Amino acid sequence: MRVLISMFAVAGALVAAGCGADGENADGTPTSTVSNSAAPTTSGPRTPADTIVTVTDMRFSPADITITAGDTVTWKFSDRVPHSVQGIGDAAMGINSPILTKGEWSYTFTVPGTYRYLCPLHPEMKGTVTVR
């Protein structure tokens, strides 16, 4: 019984002392708290990037690029002759754009590795995408 009475006494003392959640000083005026510290920032998931390769003047520019897995490469065609992008080797089998003179074609790289490609109409036009 004494323990129960002691608990009520402590609770009553806390309420009387203003330790409740009502935010008042001992004289009854409201309290306010100002914090000058900024809320901690957290970095969310990485946003995939889009890298542009121009196809003009019989070349890919830049010919060699490095990206992160999940990024997309967009080839922008602007030449007076048609071109396409075709992967070289087993790892690059999915890289196969239509033949274009103007316009663009994109491919998203999801697996790290080195992907070589060329223009099958002009095999001297070559490039590499390194995915980390």
Side-chain angles (χ1 to χ4, degrees), residues 4-122:
L4 190 56
I5 293 172
S6 295
M7 287 176 45
F8 283 121
V10 170
L14 289 173
V15 171
C19 291
D22 61 0
E24 290 184 356
N25 292 317
D27 64 358
T29 59
T31 60
S32 65
T33 304
V34 177
S35 174
N36 290 330
S37 64
T41 57
T42 58
S43 59
R46 182 185 164 280
T47 303
D50 190 20
T51 301
I52 306 296
V53 174
T54 59
V55 184
T56 187
D57 296 327
M58 297 293 292
R59 65 181 179 178
F60 297 111
S61 181
D64 301 317
I65 59 174
T66 300
I67 62 172
T68 301
D71 289 354
T72 299
V73 177
T74 299
W75 285 267
K76 292 196 174 191
F77 297 84
S78 180
D79 208 346
R80 57 184 198 279
V81 295
H83 301 288
S84 76
V85 177
Q86 182 176 14
I88 302 171
D90 291 343
M93 290 302 291
I95 304 170
N96 194 14
S97 78
I99 297 171
L100 298 168
T101 303
K102 305 281 185 225
E104 60 185 48
W105 181 77
S106 298
Y107 186 84
T108 300
F109 291 83
T110 58
V111 178
T114 300
Y115 300 85
R116 297 177 308 127
Y117 66 91
L118 57 74
C119 171
L121 303 173
H122 309 98

